[in-house]
Amino acid sequence: MMRSLLVRGMLAGLIAGVLATLFAYFFGEPSVETAIGLEGGAAHSHSAPGAAPDAHEHPPAGAEAEEEELVTRGVQSTVGLLTGVGLYGVAVGGLFSLAFAFVYGRIGTLRPRVTAVLLTASAFVVVFLVPFLKYPANPPAVGQAGTIGSRTSLYFGFVALSLLIGILAAAFGRKLADKLGAWRGGLIAAGGYVVLIAVAAALLPSIDEVPAEFPGSTLWSFRLASVGTQLVLWTVLGLTFGALSEKVLARKEVTSPQPG
């Protein structure tokens, strides 16, 4: 059974990754292209206008070849984008199937489809949306090269912290549901998560490296497309996996020996 759910989770993740890629290509790539153009223009502006060329500043032979992109921009925005998002979807789908197998039957008598949808909604908020609100994604030309490592560590550290607090809140809410009812227990657990993650977000350092001259419309379009891409991926994953898992679990119930 676990193998069947894992395979279906990875398949659902692949389907979600393909559809998320299409969304990112049509709605995210235009802002990426604009940002890359701004980055190139800023690089050219560093040279003094009208200055006479200096023979000592000429690049050595073969330098241009070394600076050429190993992968063209066209490949990056199509095959590269599909490969990256597709593999991400497969990985997320596999992990999601394991989480589904753990929670199914432990949060009430919900159908597999409903359990999958609720789980994906929770995962979208905890794994992506909350960390995104603290450390939003930035397009090219935004951010300093020297802070890439620290920015990456802070982001993934906050993702791990959000996931840990979310798991603890879910476990605590499950215990409260036995005493206070599912509705009250769920509200208290959600409130506890919000309070703890808000305190953690306030204590962690903020990062604001957006240049003052960077167009706000481009930044907004890129971040909106980032949220939309993740929303498409998680929505398709939940709906597809819910449908696939319900068929598998329905067959298991039919073939399971009945007591007596």
Side-chain angles (χ1 to χ4, degrees):
M1 178 57 61
M2 187 65 251
R3 179 183 177 184
S4 298
L5 291 176
L6 180 62
V7 171
R8 282 159 178 78
M10 297 174 69
L11 176 60
L14 179 60
I15 296 172
V18 171
L19 294 179
T21 299
L22 293 175
F23 183 93
Y25 178 78
F26 287 108
F27 295 97
E29 282 301 314
S31 57
V32 173
E33 292 290 347
T34 302
I36 291 176
L38 293 171
E39 187 177 31
H44 287 298
S45 66
H46 288 310
S47 59
D54 189 345
H56 296 288
E57 296 179 356
H58 290 173
E64 294 184 0
E66 293 178 358
E67 294 178 357
E68 290 181 357
E69 293 181 337
L70 296 177
V71 181
T72 64
R73 176 63 193 145
V75 174
Q76 293 176 7
S77 62
T78 53
V79 178
L81 181 64
L82 176 61
T83 302
V85 180
L87 291 177
Y88 174 78
V90 171
V92 169
L95 294 174
F96 177 80
S97 66
L98 298 179
F100 174 86
F102 178 78
V103 303
Y104 180 65
R106 292 180 172 87
I107 55 175
T109 57
L110 300 176
R111 293 174 53 189
R113 194 188 302 264
V114 178
T115 302
V117 171
L118 291 177
L119 185 59
T120 49
S122 302
F124 172 78
V125 172
V126 172
V127 176
F128 170 74
L129 186 59
V130 169
F132 182 89
L133 294 176
K134 174 63 178 178
Y135 299 115
N138 290 324
V142 174
Q144 302 173 7
T147 62
I148 292 178
S150 61
R151 284 185 282 127
T152 303
S153 299
L154 284 172
Y155 175 76
F156 283 106
F158 193 62
V159 171
L161 184 60
S162 177
L163 183 59
L164 176 61
I165 295 176
I167 293 174
L168 293 177
F172 184 64
R174 183 66 183 87
K175 292 183 178 181
L176 287 178
D178 296 335
K179 299 179 180 180
L180 305 177
W183 180 249
R184 290 183 178 178
L187 285 180
I188 294 175
Y193 170 82
V194 171
V195 171
L196 291 177
I197 203 65
V199 172
L203 294 176
L204 288 173
S206 299
I207 299 175
D208 185 10
E209 298 182 352
V210 180
E213 66 276 7
F214 193 86
S217 59
T218 301
L219 182 63
W220 171 254
S221 297
F222 178 84
R223 289 179 175 176
L224 194 61
S226 299
V227 175
T229 300
Q230 290 286 336
L231 183 60
V232 169
L233 187 142
W234 285 99
T235 301
V236 175
L237 173 62
L239 295 176
T240 305
F241 181 81
L244 295 175
S245 63
E246 192 157 281
K247 293 181 180 180
V248 173
L249 294 173
R251 287 200 300 266
K252 179 185 176 183
E253 294 177 357
V254 171
T255 58
S256 297
Q258 300 297 325

